Amino acid sequence: MANDTSVVLDAHSPNSPGSLADPFTPPADSSLWREDFLLGVATAAYQIEGAVHEDGRLSSIWDTFSATPGKVLAGDTGAVACDHYHRWEADIDMLAGLGFQGYRLSIAWPRVMDAAGVPNRKGLDFYKRLLTRLKEKGITTFVTLYHWDLPQHLEDRGGWLNRDTAYRFADYADLMSRELAGTVDAWATLNEPWCSAYLGYGNGHHAPGLANERFATQALHHLLLGHGLAVPALRANDPASQKGIVANVGRGTANSNSAADQRAAQLFEVQHNAWILDPLFKGEYPQALFELWPGAEPLVLDGDMRTISAPLDFLGINYYFRTNVASDGAHGFTDVPLEGVERTQMGWEVYPDGLRDLLTGFKENYANLPPIYITENGMASNDQVTDGKVDDTQRISYLKRHLAAVDQAIKAGVNIRGYFVWSLMDNFEWAFGYERRFGIVHIDYTTQQRTLKRSAELLAKFLKERKAQAS
């Protein structure tokens, strides 16, 4: 993803929009007041759990990648992270105390089965205890099967470049849905296959660190095939739950009104959005993708697209920023960062309208689009604890404006059922290690002290107000 840092406003900047005095309260006519609109927070296993060598857990590609010098900022790894594996009970109590209705988490594939596919009971029991506690607290559970932590033994056999990995993923989905049936409200097969394919196999920024466009398109095909193969197992084993997938999407805008730049913006969205959504909802890859990457068509076998495009109960959408682009003068686009715009600690432009525009566009483009959940939205800032408090002003404003954009999309007719803040806690931010803080709860990685940020306090206040209004 883009990482331009020309203008960065942090939580303490006097130029940051909004102020701590502003209540986190939507307008009276906002859809967010509806009690059936799910408000939750999200995490991912490798980013928070730690305990990478405990209770039979195998190595993942992220254990290997983060242990490779130069791959992760400051040499950070997920070996300890937020120590959630040992502190999960207190973390769930904290989550419930804030009043969130939903929690999106992921399962670590290397923790629950060995290389021969034999269940690892200690790993399975961890998730059973976790999900049982969440249900006891009345929290709706969204469980992602694959949030990037592929077992290393599968990568050693080719990873997502090997078609067999899709079938091993289906076996994993079958096991998990048999073991955890009744504790999961919604299953997501994959988180952000674009990132797994492009960042992992296309440009090498993420594990396993390969860089070839042809690798990216083939890896993406096998990821989506794995998704399609997993859905029938999920339906058979846990029929009461919802089944879906989570896609990250990006808004691309043109740097000028020229035909070349307008086409560049279209191609950006083909690569970031249609590459994933067209196979799922149209049963085909967008041909414009291969204008960008000539000769990179994946090997697709008979029946694959029917498997991939089977109906879903929901679509998860992750959105963070927009990218301004221009024609590269050949067959693609190049980023042209805008000056003077608000950016986050990641260098990503804050652009709430992009979320609304994408959602309304998807509604128009995909006739069979299922209900949508915003499964990730949030921002990183350089948060610090001062006198026991964290005043994350920019995050408060960011979330308010993006929730308003979601409400606008709902009023435009998009069927959006809920919104998850990324993230519950500061965590291991992949190739950026622990420097970038996305949480509404601050983590001191030395002491593992949890401190609620002002954003968490204001969200909890709104949830309490909404609950009181509904009763």
Side-chain angles (χ1 to χ4, degrees):
M1 294 183 179
N3 189 33
D4 176 74
T5 54
S6 57
V7 180
V8 178
L9 303 180
D10 67 24
H12 307 285
S13 169
N15 297 317
S16 294
S19 75
L20 292 178
D22 293 337
F24 201 105
T25 305
D29 66 344
S30 172
S31 305
L32 306 180
W33 284 104
R34 295 195 336 245
E35 196 175 17
D36 64 347
F37 185 86
L38 186 70
L39 282 168
V41 286
T43 63
Y46 191 75
Q47 294 181 268
I48 66 169
E49 285 182 1
V52 297
H53 302 299
E54 292 190 36
D55 293 336
R57 182 189 177 278
L58 304 180
S59 291
S60 78
I61 57 174
W62 271 97
D63 296 308
T64 303
F65 189 77
S66 61
T68 304
K71 295 298 186 181
V72 175
L73 192 66
D76 291 336
T77 77
V80 177
C82 305
D83 196 31
H84 178 71
Y85 189 76
H86 300 115
R87 300 168 186 266
W88 67 271
E89 292 177 275
D91 287 341
I92 296 306
D93 288 345
M94 176 178 68
L95 167 64
L98 290 169
F100 285 103
Q101 303 163 286
Y103 181 47
R104 177 174 174 245
L105 65 145
S106 77
I107 292 169
W109 188 351
R111 200 181 288 286
V112 295
M113 60 198 306
D114 71 10
V118 176
N120 176 19
R121 288 295 158 193
K122 289 183 178 180
L124 286 166
D125 286 347
F126 168 71
Y127 293 108
K128 287 180 179 180
R129 292 192 300 270
L130 178 64
L131 288 163
T132 298
R133 175 65 64 88
L134 287 164
K135 299 312 293 180
E136 289 171 353
K137 297 286 187 181
I139 295 171
T140 299
T141 52
F142 274 59
V143 174
T144 304
L145 284 167
Y146 185 68
H147 201 125
W148 306 355
D149 45 359
L150 184 71
Q152 182 61 45
H153 67 87
L154 290 177
E155 182 58 37
D156 292 342
R157 294 163 50 192
W160 291 109
L161 296 178
N162 183 350
R163 184 180 176 92
D164 185 64
T165 301
Y167 294 91
R168 302 292 71 78
F169 178 73
D171 292 343
Y172 160 57
D174 179 61
L175 172 66
M176 298 314 300
S177 54
R178 282 188 281 111
E179 292 283 346
L180 301 178
T183 64
V184 176
D185 293 298
W187 292 98
T189 52
L190 307 175
N191 176 75
E192 299 185 350
W194 185 95
C195 291
S196 296
Y198 185 70
L199 300 182
Y201 293 87
N203 72 2
H205 183 64
H206 281 185
L210 303 181
N212 183 301
E213 292 163 357
R214 180 70 174 79
F215 289 172
T217 56
Q218 193 63 61
L220 190 280
H221 181 68
H222 291 154
L223 280 153
L224 292 182
L225 179 62
H227 153 80
L229 293 168
V231 169
L234 298 173
R235 292 201 184 283
N237 297 334
D238 197 8
S241 62
Q242 297 183 74
K243 290 82 182 173
I245 190 172
V246 171
N248 60 301
V249 297
R251 180 69 170 120
T253 55
N255 194 52
S256 77
N257 290 325
S258 73
D261 284 358
Q262 294 292 320
R263 181 57 176 166
Q266 292 172 355
L267 289 174
F268 175 92
E269 293 199 0
V270 165
Q271 194 226 51
H272 283 73
N273 307 330
W275 184 21
I276 313 301
L277 299 181
D278 278 15
L280 291 169
F281 302 116
K282 294 183 177 180
E284 61 186 18
Y285 289 106
Q287 285 306 302
L289 181 68
F290 307 112
E291 291 181 34
L292 289 167
W293 298 331
E297 293 88 343
L299 176 63
V300 178
L301 302 187
D302 288 346
D304 283 1
M305 302 313 292
R306 287 192 302 275
T307 299
I308 289 169
S309 60
L312 298 175
D313 302 320
F314 75 93
L315 171 66
I317 290 291
N318 296 353
Y319 172 83
Y320 289 97
F321 61 96
R322 69 116 169 229
T323 304
N324 190 65
V325 300
S327 171
D328 65 0
H331 51 72
F333 55 83
T334 184
D335 293 5
V336 183
L338 297 171
E339 296 182 0
V341 298
E342 180 191 354
R343 296 187 183 274
T344 71
Q345 187 191 22
M346 293 292 288
W348 297 344
E349 181 188 354
V350 178
Y351 191 70
D353 288 353
L355 177 56
R356 179 202 61 214
D357 295 345
L358 287 170
L359 291 167
T360 54
F362 296 155
K363 177 180 180 291
E364 294 301 316
N365 194 34
Y366 301 105
N368 55 342
L369 195 70
I372 289 172
Y373 290 87
I374 308 304
T375 36
E376 287 183 28
N377 180 234
M379 59 154 284
S381 57
N382 184 24
D383 301 321
Q384 301 171 21
V385 180
T386 304
D387 297 328
K389 299 181 182 299
V390 182
D391 291 336
D392 53 338
T393 311
Q394 189 188 9
R395 179 174 291 104
I396 294 165
S397 177
Y398 179 104
L399 294 174
K400 286 170 62 175
R401 286 177 285 161
H402 283 79
L403 281 163
V406 170
D407 183 54
Q408 292 166 7
I410 292 171
K411 289 175 178 174
V414 184
N415 186 2
I416 305 169
R417 302 284 181 86
Y419 174 99
F420 291 79
V421 178
W422 183 268
S423 173
L424 173 62
M425 299 180 284
D426 295 335
N427 53 52
F428 178 79
E429 182 46 39
W430 307 111
F432 293 101
Y434 294 104
E435 182 187 83
R436 314 296 167 94
R437 293 181 176 270
F438 275 88
I440 59 171
V441 176
H442 181 278
I443 301 293
D444 183 319
Y445 294 109
T446 301
T447 65
Q448 291 296 336
Q449 174 69 37
R450 275 78 163 137
T451 302
L452 299 184
K453 301 180 187 180
R454 182 64 171 153
S455 57
E457 295 171 347
L458 291 178
L459 282 163
K461 180 176 181 287
F462 166 63
L463 287 162
K464 185 176 181 180
E465 291 172 353
R466 190 175 77 163
K467 186 175 182 179
Q469 179 175 290
S471 61

